[in-house]
């Protein structure tokens, strides 16, 4: 993916509080809107490529997480880190911002 910000979709097109899948080029993304905030991770679980957007949202030790529907690997939404395996690698995180016209833009995270 080229460096820099990329348009993803209008904020108004995302459901509130329910993860969905969106594509950015060839990359499938997990996208979660909560109010005006948007969390974006790579949608494929690093363990065996399960679709994270189909997973459950849970709270683990006071932190919002997503549980992979295939083998229950659990990832922190804030940074993609693994809370519970079998996954050993984090889910890649994308930085987000919202343009004045309401378009969500993403770029690969630096962590």
């Amino acid at each position: 993916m080229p460096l820099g910000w990329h348009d993803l979709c209008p904020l108004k097109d995302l459901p509130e509080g329910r993860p969905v899948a969106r594509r950015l080029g060839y990359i499938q993304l997990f996208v979660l809107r909560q109010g005006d905030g948007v969390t974006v991770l790579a949608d494929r679980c690093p363990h065996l490529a399960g679709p994270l957007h189909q997973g459950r949202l849970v709270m683990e030790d006071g932190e919002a997480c997503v549980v992979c529907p295939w083998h229950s690997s659990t990832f922190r939404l804030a940074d993609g880190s693994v809370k519970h395996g079998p996954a050993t690698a984090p889910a890649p995180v994308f930085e987000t911002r919202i343009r004045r016209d309401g378009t969500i833009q993403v770029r690969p995270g630096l962590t």
Side-chain angles (χ1 to χ4, degrees):
M1 168 179 298
L3 297 175
W5 292 98
H6 303 275
D7 291 351
L8 183 61
C9 65
L11 180 66
K12 66 179 178 58
D13 288 355
L14 296 175
E16 172 69 29
R18 184 175 55 87
V20 294
R22 292 290 183 268
R23 284 193 99 57
L24 183 63
Y26 65 90
I27 300 171
Q28 179 99 352
L29 300 174
F30 163 101
V31 183
L32 175 64
R33 174 186 178 183
Q34 294 175 306
D36 286 338
V38 179
T39 300
V40 178
L41 305 172
D43 188 46
R44 297 299 175 198
C45 176
H47 176 237
L48 287 174
L52 293 180
H53 76 279
Q54 293 177 7
R56 290 180 295 116
L57 299 178
V58 298
M59 293 298 285
E60 289 273 338
D61 301 322
E63 299 175 313
C65 299
V66 61
V67 179
C68 178
W70 287 4
H71 302 108
S72 299
S73 292
T74 304
F75 303 92
R76 268 184 62 188
L77 293 179
D79 63 5
S81 63
V82 179
K83 293 288 280 182
H84 302 286
T88 58
V93 176
F94 289 74
E95 294 179 46
T96 63
R97 69 180 184 188
I98 302 173
R99 289 191 334 212
R100 285 189 181 145
D101 68 0
T103 299
I104 300 165
Q105 293 186 310
V106 299
R107 70 177 177 187
L110 301 176
T111 57

